[in-house]
Amino acid sequence: MVKNRILLAEDQALVRQGLKMMIEYSGKNEVIVEACNGKEALELYPKHIIDLIIMDIRMPEMNGLEATQKLRQLYPKVKILILTTFADDAYAIEALKLGAVGYLLKDADRERLLYSIDKALEGGMALDEQVAAKVVPQLFRNKQEKKPLPIPLTERERSLVFLVGEGKSNQEIADTLFLSLGTVKNLMSQLLTKLQLRDRTQLAIFALKHDIED
């Protein structure tokens, strides 16, 4: 099996070692290059065949955002997944605007990390759920004309989709619709299945692309 070739940019050696073990756990990925900062990542990338760069933000000499910007300018097809400790909307928005294909927090479990790598390599957007609700509306709002819904939705389902598109958290949706948090989570799961969407990020993008109030 041909493995996905990963460049891992992380300044802390112990963290880098742990991430490498997680990344390679599935057998589908191999960390073939390691960098201690953005400058090294920028220098090493063109010397190897790389499928995905996994990039920390706060690193010495050149941080991950600077490196992402320079790499995308020089190599527009490069795929960069930001992996950081910062659950910060501004960081996430800047990273995605600079061309990163995802933004994931380091406290994510192994399954979430591997899923995000797969999604990034498939051309999707991999976003941590803690930041997705706030980030997606700011990135996609008013970027295109609304499309009609592909399938009919009930009034409650429309409300749920609309609120996700507004960047509301599950608790905020529960408060708005006078439902329990558990009910909202169940409805969210059912809605994702009905719309054949994989996660909340895709639902938020769906909400912003379609005319929910039609």
Side-chain angles (χ1 to χ4, degrees):
M1 180 179 68
V2 178
K3 296 184 179 182
N4 301 312
R5 294 154 298 197
I6 309 293
L7 188 162
L8 177 60
E10 161 64 53
D11 63 314
Q12 298 183 51
L14 285 176
V15 175
R16 195 166 64 244
Q17 184 179 21
L19 287 172
K20 181 179 179 180
M21 292 177 63
M22 290 174 66
I23 291 165
E24 294 182 341
Y25 178 82
S26 68
K28 296 192 298 183
N29 310 308
E30 183 179 5
V31 177
I32 64 168
V33 185
E34 297 179 34
C36 296
N37 54 56
K39 184 173 181 288
E40 279 192 7
L42 186 61
E43 292 171 350
L44 290 169
Y45 176 77
K47 298 178 181 179
H48 304 268
I49 298 174
I50 302 295
D51 298 307
L52 179 69
I53 298 176
I54 298 179
M55 183 91 72
D56 189 16
I57 286 184
R58 185 167 291 179
M59 296 183 289
E61 294 195 56
M62 182 186 293
N63 67 44
L65 295 179
E66 291 176 289
T68 296
Q69 182 178 29
K70 292 181 183 297
L71 281 161
R72 287 284 297 171
Q73 288 172 345
L74 292 170
Y75 314 103
K77 293 184 179 180
V78 63
K79 292 180 178 179
I80 302 171
L81 172 63
I82 299 294
L83 183 61
T84 181
T85 57
F86 300 105
D88 186 289
D89 300 349
Y91 273 137
I93 290 169
E94 184 176 359
L96 296 170
K97 285 184 175 179
L98 289 174
V101 296
Y103 192 95
L104 189 64
L105 300 185
K106 287 181 181 176
D107 62 2
D109 59 25
R110 183 177 62 208
E111 287 69 27
R112 180 65 189 176
L113 173 60
L114 294 175
Y115 169 76
S116 297
I117 290 172
D118 288 344
K119 193 170 182 181
L121 288 167
E122 290 167 2
M125 180 183 290
L127 279 182
D128 191 278
E129 290 192 354
Q130 293 184 51
V131 297
K134 302 297 181 184
V135 168
V136 171
Q138 295 185 60
L139 286 174
F140 289 90
R141 194 180 306 283
N142 300 324
K143 283 204 171 183
Q144 55 193 326
E145 291 186 10
K146 300 279 189 177
K147 301 175 184 178
L149 289 170
I151 58 173
L153 296 179
T154 66
E155 184 176 349
R156 175 170 286 183
E157 288 171 338
R158 284 173 180 265
S159 298
L160 193 65
V161 173
F162 177 81
L163 291 170
V164 170
E166 287 291 297
K168 303 295 186 184
S169 67
N170 282 350
Q171 186 60 62
E172 289 171 328
I173 293 172
D175 293 342
T176 301
L177 299 181
F178 303 102
L179 300 171
S180 70
L181 183 58
T183 298
V184 169
K185 288 180 178 179
N186 288 336
L187 289 171
M188 190 77 70
S189 178
Q190 293 168 14
L191 189 55
L192 289 173
T193 300
K194 182 174 182 177
L195 295 173
Q196 297 184 339
L197 301 174
R198 285 176 293 186
D199 54 34
R200 186 190 180 91
T201 302
Q202 286 195 341
L203 182 59
I205 295 171
F206 175 92
L208 295 166
K209 285 183 176 180
H210 294 85
D211 190 356
I212 308 302
E213 299 177 312
D214 185 21

